[in-house]
Amino acid sequence: MSKIVKLKKGFDINMVGKAKQELADFAPAQTFAIKPTDFIGLQRPKVLVNEGDTVKAGTPILIDKALDQVIYAAPVSGKIVEIKRGDRRKLLEIKILSDATITHEQLGQVDIVSLDRDALAAKLAASGTWPNIIQRPFGIVANPADTPKSIFISAFDTHPLAPDYAFALQGQEKYLQAGIEALAKLTSGKVHLNVDGSKAVPTVFSNLKGAQVNKFSGPHPAGNVGVQIHHLDPINKGEIAWTVTPYGVAQIGKFILEGIYDASKVIAVTGSELTKAAYVKTYMGASVSTFVKGNLNSGHVRVISGNVLTGEKIALEGFLGFYHNQITVIPEGDYYEFMGWAKPTTRLSYHRALGLLSFLTPKKEFVMDSNARGEERAFVQTGVFESVTPMDILPVYLLKAIMAEDFDEIEELGIYEIVEEDLALCEFVDVSKHPVQELVRKGIELIQYS
């Protein structure tokens, strides 16, 4: 039975630079990269190609020796121009110079009806689409041998300047439907499709069958799939659920219907420092320079693959992350502000004492830079973390338990229900300036590998 969930806790970060709902005519990216660092939990990466090899979209280029049935595939066709490694030969990037016209490996269409659950999982794992399926707890690429109790899809995003899935996925209805049908066969429970309850259900999602449609409304992080799981079917110790983004569902559906690995996606190019903020059609792993260079209001900027809360800082010549659906460009905040905390400010802040004017103008959009305006200090318990976390957990106590490496407390206080993005807002409102998301990952790894 569908559910309606109205959340009150949270905080919307309104920023200048939202993408207009139009496809921009940026020059297409020439270089693409697969970054093993995008895939949390990938333990022993093995490269399947060499520099100079030619590949097609869908050609296997990487596996994890610890889960070798899952293929990580080339997003485009072209030539492997660099296999970049860091300290101790850590694999950082596999770069591909793309062809002018993308050609695909022909993987063969899939008849969902004729395949049993394990055979379908094996097909998806070998297709390159499987890394879209993420396991909770831990937020890692799912194991095809596991059967989750349910699968969750968040059809809206409440992060700052987030893309509108209804616009980005328009015309993809048949692929979304095929993807949902495939996912339904992989779980012993339900497929949950969660939509924005404050608006009418977009056409691209309204006619999909085979999933339970739930409505969520409220401030960020209402769009986080972890928050939605918590209110629909919480994860206890020993249980597994899977999550997939709408992009991932469509990609799985395209493989089912057309027998190809299609890494194309429409992403939002956003941020206050851009001359033109719009949507662009590209491929996973695209070099972002073609969308940013020549499109800047100023030269001193921070480029982020993803959003400002959970995204990754990248170079101007960096690459779009596998799971990222937007690029954000904001002013760089590498300056020192003497006694800045004591000055009257018009900046956006969750705290009334620090940003009173932002409370008087709740609809105003703000230009925000990357300056943390302070450094780590004593962990002050103010109750503010709980006020922006719409989950029945105690974030402060959980984070302190992680710092103390108290395994029993970490488990009891809710580590199985969260990943970094679920407490990212706590990092934004934290007057103590702690690396909350780093602490969450540390806690997850303490439990995962204990």
Side-chain angles (χ1 to χ4, degrees):
M1 181 178 178
S2 299
K3 293 187 178 181
I4 298 175
V5 181
K6 297 181 179 180
L7 303 174
K8 295 183 179 179
K9 293 182 178 180
F11 184 63
D12 287 326
I13 301 175
N14 296 320
M15 296 177 61
V16 173
K18 192 172 182 64
K20 294 182 180 179
Q21 291 199 355
E22 59 183 34
L23 283 176
D25 55 351
F26 295 114
Q30 301 295 318
T31 309
F32 298 79
I34 286 286
K35 299 181 290 183
T37 51
D38 287 344
F39 309 103
I40 295 174
L42 193 151
Q43 300 175 35
R44 299 161 58 199
K46 178 182 178 181
V47 181
L48 304 178
V49 292
N50 298 305
E51 290 183 1
D53 287 355
T54 56
V55 297
K56 295 181 180 180
T59 299
I61 63 172
L62 181 71
I63 61 169
D64 182 355
K65 292 180 183 179
L67 196 63
D68 59 6
Q69 65 269 46
V70 176
I71 294 297
Y72 298 83
V76 295
S77 60
K79 183 179 180 180
I80 304 294
V81 292
E82 184 181 5
I83 298 175
K84 185 177 179 180
R85 296 184 182 272
D87 294 340
R88 299 183 179 180
R89 292 190 54 77
K90 179 181 179 181
L91 182 62
L92 301 178
E93 295 171 345
I94 302 173
K95 297 182 183 178
I96 304 170
L97 180 62
S98 71
D99 295 330
T101 302
I102 305 300
T103 57
H104 296 83
E105 296 279 5
Q106 297 302 311
L107 306 173
Q109 295 174 316
V110 177
D111 183 358
I112 300 175
V113 176
S114 66
L115 295 178
D116 62 21
R117 187 260 173 216
D118 292 339
L120 175 59
K123 287 276 189 182
L124 293 175
S127 71
T129 62
W130 189 269
N132 288 293
I133 304 176
I134 301 299
Q135 174 195 298
R136 295 292 187 103
F138 309 143
I140 58 177
V141 175
N143 187 333
D146 294 332
T147 300
K149 68 172 184 174
S150 48
I151 298 176
F152 296 84
I153 306 160
S154 179
F156 69 110
D157 192 342
T158 52
H159 283 97
L161 305 178
D164 182 346
Y165 287 137
F167 177 80
L169 291 168
Q170 56 187 332
Q172 304 287 305
E173 289 89 346
K174 67 177 181 179
Y175 301 126
L176 290 167
Q177 182 62 62
I180 287 175
E181 291 172 5
L183 293 172
K185 198 158 188 174
L186 299 177
T187 176
S188 58
K190 298 177 180 179
V191 175
H192 293 270
L193 179 65
N194 306 319
V195 300
D196 187 347
S198 65
K199 305 175 183 177
V201 180
T203 304
V204 70
F205 300 118
S206 61
N207 296 318
L208 298 178
K209 299 177 181 178
Q212 176 176 305
V213 178
N214 307 292
K215 295 183 178 181
F216 282 78
S217 60
H220 181 69
N224 280 12
V225 70
V227 172
Q228 296 164 6
I229 293 172
H230 177 84
H231 289 275
L232 295 173
D233 190 8
I235 300 170
N236 299 309
K237 184 177 181 179
E239 295 179 334
I240 290 176
W242 289 351
T243 70
V244 191
T245 67
Y247 279 110
V249 177
Q251 190 182 64
I252 290 170
K254 184 162 285 190
F255 164 65
I256 297 294
L257 296 179
E258 299 183 1
I260 61 172
Y261 174 72
D262 184 0
S264 65
K265 60 165 55 177
V266 174
I267 66 168
V269 182
T270 67
S272 61
E273 299 311 289
L274 294 176
T275 303
K276 185 175 186 179
Y279 289 81
V280 62
K281 186 173 183 180
T282 186
Y283 294 85
M284 292 176 181
S287 173
V288 305
S289 61
T290 185
F291 314 129
V292 176
K293 283 185 177 179
N295 189 26
L296 294 173
N297 292 322
S298 65
H300 196 48
V301 298
R302 174 169 295 194
V303 182
I304 301 167
S305 175
N307 62 76
V308 294
L309 284 180
T310 65
E312 174 192 7
K313 176 185 175 182
I314 60 174
L316 190 60
E317 296 79 19
F319 298 91
L320 179 71
F322 183 90
Y323 299 105
H324 294 152
N325 305 316
Q326 71 182 105
I327 300 164
T328 309
V329 185
I330 60 174
E332 185 58 83
D334 55 352
Y335 58 88
Y336 177 71
E337 190 175 20
F338 179 69
M339 294 289 285
W341 59 271
K343 297 177 181 177
T345 178
T346 58
R347 292 189 295 262
L348 174 67
S349 175
Y350 181 76
H351 306 275
R352 290 181 184 270
L354 301 177
L356 179 60
L357 291 180
S358 66
F359 278 87
L360 299 177
T361 55
K363 300 295 184 181
K364 181 180 177 180
E365 295 179 343
F366 292 82
V367 174
M368 302 180 68
D369 61 33
S370 61
N371 197 309
R373 295 182 172 83
E375 58 187 13
E376 191 171 330
R377 59 196 74 139
F379 208 145
V380 180
Q381 185 174 333
T382 61
V384 69
F385 281 18
E386 289 77 10
S387 68
V388 296
T389 306
M391 305 169 76
D392 293 328
I393 63 173
L394 300 172
V396 173
Y397 290 103
L398 173 58
L399 294 170
K400 288 186 175 182
I402 293 169
M403 290 177 175
E405 298 188 6
D406 186 332
F407 288 77
D408 291 338
E409 284 289 298
I410 292 172
E411 285 189 337
E412 291 176 6
L413 289 167
I415 196 65
Y416 293 109
E417 293 207 60
I418 64 169
V419 295
E420 293 92 325
E421 72 172 12
D422 297 316
L423 295 189
L425 201 53
C426 295
E427 190 166 316
F428 175 76
V429 302
D430 184 17
V431 296
S432 300
K433 309 298 179 181
H434 282 84
V436 172
Q437 295 179 77
E438 289 182 18
L439 288 172
V440 169
R441 180 48 56 181
K442 177 185 176 182
I444 289 172
E445 292 177 350
L446 285 172
I447 297 301
Q448 182 181 0
Y449 300 119
S450 63

